């Protein structure tokens, strides 16, 4: 009998190790990881630079409270803000990063109302859950009612935006929601109107950030400047972390005591995050963009004759294949063929391959995935 609460539908698989883009089960079999955990292990398993950074820090201090200076947090903040006039708050997860964003936006503006979008996913804590408009996730919890959900990518949202909102929050590439990419013009109009009205724009890059789409942050490909950005998942390549990055002038809403966490910005996690961010060079990001383009075209071309495929969407190495056949059955078959992938809302097969996967392996994996879909 399991002593764990039954909150996850777990596959019958125990993963005990990994190397590069592969995870290894307790029988010693390797699986090609087209999920990177769930968008966490962007740089793969036992990446030498990250391994070394964490091992070095393990020999030093494991924890200091946030009552003391942290040069490691300063370094990660410097790498995250990329010379922009911004400040960072460190948390332990994506949901917590969004909690921080929500609190900052409400304190700064003195308003409470938040606009979010259909198919959004921002996490499971009360504030973040309130921003995640999925009945199955919210039901019975009594979520925050000051949230107004509008359809993603539709003019109605722009029309509905007015000065009573504190903030609008969105993913420029919706992940859990089914890999829906924001339309550039729509996003520009939304951000322009928000700026005009003094409504803060929060971009949730928890899944799309850290190089996943071929730039450090996906929003950078959309020509917008958010007020607040949240990241987590892949920032420390497997160690728990979240970060909220905000315009420096928003900082006046946060004084000592306004927000906090025991573990946020932990030294070991920060050592890993530094190694991750230093690995995500412009050259590395360009290879992700290039591989993403190639395999998306490949999927589009090869699936054109597959009646099981409804639509292909994505950006960089964040790809959704909406299916006419049961995505969960496809995932089971893929596991039998030693490939791990993910699902997303709308019966979508979600591919978030390890970013360091080489082109030939990506190609071979895609062929197997499409063949498998074709078997249904
Ligand atoms: C876009 C987005 N925001 C927030 C979260 C929540 O992150 P966490 O599970 O680390 O709390 C997720 C997790 O999937 C996510 O995809």
């Amino acid at each position: 009998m399991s002593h764990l609460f039954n909150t996850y539908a777990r596959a019958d698989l125990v993963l005990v190790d990994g190397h590069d883009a592969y995870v290894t089960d307790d029988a010693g079999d390797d699986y090609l990881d087209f999920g990177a955990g769930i968008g966490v292990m962007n740089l793969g398993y036992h990446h030498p630079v990250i391994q070394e950074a964490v091992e070095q820090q393990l020999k030093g201090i494991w924890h200091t409270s946030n009552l003391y200076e942290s040069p490691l947090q300063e370094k990660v903040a410097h790498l995250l803000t990329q010379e922009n006039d911004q400040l960072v708050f460190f948390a332990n997860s994506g949901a917590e990063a969004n909690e921080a964003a929500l609190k900052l936006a409400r304190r700064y503006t003195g308003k409470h109302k938040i606009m979010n979008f259909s198919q959004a996913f921002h996490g499971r804590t009360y504030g973040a859950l309130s921003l995640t408009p999925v009945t199955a996730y919210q039901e019975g919890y009594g979520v925050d009612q000051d949230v107004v959900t509008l359809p993603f990518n539709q003019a109605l949202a722009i029309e509905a935006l007015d000065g009573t909102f504190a903030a609008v929050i969105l993913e420029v590439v919706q992940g859990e929601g089914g890999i829906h990419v924001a339309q550039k013009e729509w996003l520009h109009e939304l951000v322009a109107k928000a700026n005009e009205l003094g409504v803060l724009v929060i971009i949730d890059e928890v899944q799309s950030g850290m190089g996943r789409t071929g730039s450090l942050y996906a929003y950078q490909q959309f020509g917008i400047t958010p007020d607040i950005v949240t990241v987590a998942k892949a920032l420390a390549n497997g160690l728990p972390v979240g970060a909220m990055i905000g315009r420096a002038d928003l900082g006046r809403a946060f004084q000592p005591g306004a927000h906090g966490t025991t573990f946020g910005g932990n030294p070991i996690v920060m050592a890993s995050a530094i190694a991750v961010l230093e690995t995500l060079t412009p050259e590395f990001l360009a290879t992700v963009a290039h591989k993403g383009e190639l395999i998306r075209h490949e999927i589009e071309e090869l699936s054109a004759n597959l009646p099981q495929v409804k639509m292909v969407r994505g950006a960089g190495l964040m790809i959704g294949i909406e299916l006419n056949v049961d995505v969960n059955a496809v995932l089971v078959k893929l596991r039998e063929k030693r490939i791990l992938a993910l699902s997303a809302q709308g019966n979508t097969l979600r591919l978030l391959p390890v970013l360091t996967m080489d082109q030939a392996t990506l190609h071979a994996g895609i062929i197997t995935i499409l063949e498998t879909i074709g078997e249904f």
Side-chain angles (χ1 to χ4, degrees), residues 38 40 92-98 120-125 128 132 170-171 173-177 204-208 230 232-233 241-242 318 350:
I38 306 179
V40 169
N92 309 287
S93 67
E96 278 186 49
N98 285 332
F121 187 91
H122 298 295
R124 307 281 197 155
T125 52
T132 300
L170 74 148
E171 303 148 84
V173 184
Q174 293 184 319
E176 305 291 318
D204 179 337
E205 293 268 1
V206 168
Q207 193 162 145
S208 57
T230 55
K233 283 193 181 288
V241 68
M318 187 169 181
R350 179 171 38 146

Side-chain angles (χ1 to χ4, degrees), residues 117-134:
F117 295 95
S118 50
Q119 299 135 199
F121 187 91
H122 298 295
R124 307 281 197 155
T125 52
Y126 262 94
L129 177 65
S130 306
L131 305 171
T132 300
V134 180

Side-chain angles (χ1 to χ4, degrees), residues 100-123:
L102 196 53
K103 287 173 86 171
L104 182 64
R106 284 179 166 174
R107 269 228 181 175
Y108 179 83
T109 61
K111 296 180 279 185
H112 282 173
K113 213 159 93 179
I114 310 285
M115 180 181 287
N116 70 339
F117 295 95
S118 50
Q119 299 135 199
F121 187 91
H122 298 295

Side-chain angles (χ1 to χ4, degrees), residues 288-328:
V288 174
H290 181 66
K291 286 189 284 195
E293 282 282 300
L294 286 179
I295 69 159
R296 222 171 49 257
H297 284 142
E298 190 168 25
I299 295 169
E300 275 161 4
E301 253 178 53
L302 296 175
S303 65
N305 300 323
L306 283 180
Q308 297 89 342
V309 172
K310 218 166 157 180
M311 201 189 278
V312 180
R313 297 182 288 266
L317 287 173
M318 187 169 181
I319 297 169
I321 308 177
E322 193 177 329
L323 300 176
N324 287 316
V325 294
D326 179 20
V327 66
N328 291 315

